[in-house]
Amino acid sequence: MRFLVISHGRMAQGTVISAEMILGKQSQVSVLSVTVDSTIQSTLSEIKETVSHFEGEEWVILTDILGGTPFNASYRFLEEHPDVLLVAGFNLPLLLELFMRVDASHDEIKQYINTHKDAVISVVEYQVPMEQEEEFDL
């Protein structure tokens, strides 16, 4: 399984670097960054170029947001490559899990995403009041 992580700016690169700090180098990952000069067509060309270096591999493309240029270009890529799994809204915990599941099938990855998509929480709702420390005059 290979992963292509695409974002606006350097988010994809930074998130992959963070994942590698935790898991070690990830040779099955490619990264693309969309800039202000990028178009859907230029991004699609970059996707095709990246994937062409690993013909015959199973791919998961992860984009930062649904409806952005990385997603839209990836969605167009699916027209010619329906066997690719496209995921919108990646974050560090998701990348960590996927990178540890390189042998997982697309169906297993979809199942993981469906069961963990509510993992982003507001900590305020779960905040436990901290006991105040006593002050001592010395």
Side-chain angles (χ1 to χ4, degrees), residues 4-16 30-36 38-39 43 46-47 61-66 68-74 86-91 95:
L4 176 56
V5 186
I6 313 172
S7 70
H8 293 86
R10 296 184 180 167
M11 179 184 168
Q13 179 185 19
T15 309
V16 169
S30 299
V31 174
L32 293 177
S33 296
V34 170
T35 66
V36 294
S38 299
T39 64
T43 305
E46 288 183 73
I47 293 168
I61 299 177
L62 299 121
T63 66
D64 53 359
I65 56 174
L66 180 69
T69 299
F71 176 84
N72 291 335
S74 299
L86 175 57
V87 178
F90 73 83
N91 58 25
L95 292 188

Side-chain angles (χ1 to χ4, degrees), residues 39-108:
T39 64
I40 292 173
Q41 191 56 46
S42 67
T43 305
L44 177 57
S45 295
E46 288 183 73
I47 293 168
K48 288 178 179 180
E49 173 69 20
T50 301
V51 171
S52 73
H53 293 289
F54 302 96
E55 297 262 344
E57 296 273 352
E58 221 176 356
W59 282 89
V60 176
I61 299 177
L62 299 121
T63 66
D64 53 359
I65 56 174
L66 180 69
T69 299
F71 176 84
N72 291 335
S74 299
Y75 192 78
R76 287 194 183 169
F77 182 75
L78 291 182
E79 293 172 359
E80 297 175 20
H81 303 275
D83 54 329
V84 170
L85 178 60
L86 175 57
V87 178
F90 73 83
N91 58 25
L92 181 57
L94 177 61
L95 292 188
L96 292 171
E97 284 296 328
L98 295 183
F99 293 172
M100 291 188 296
R101 299 169 183 258
V102 293
D103 295 328
S105 69
H106 281 177
D107 286 337
E108 291 169 325

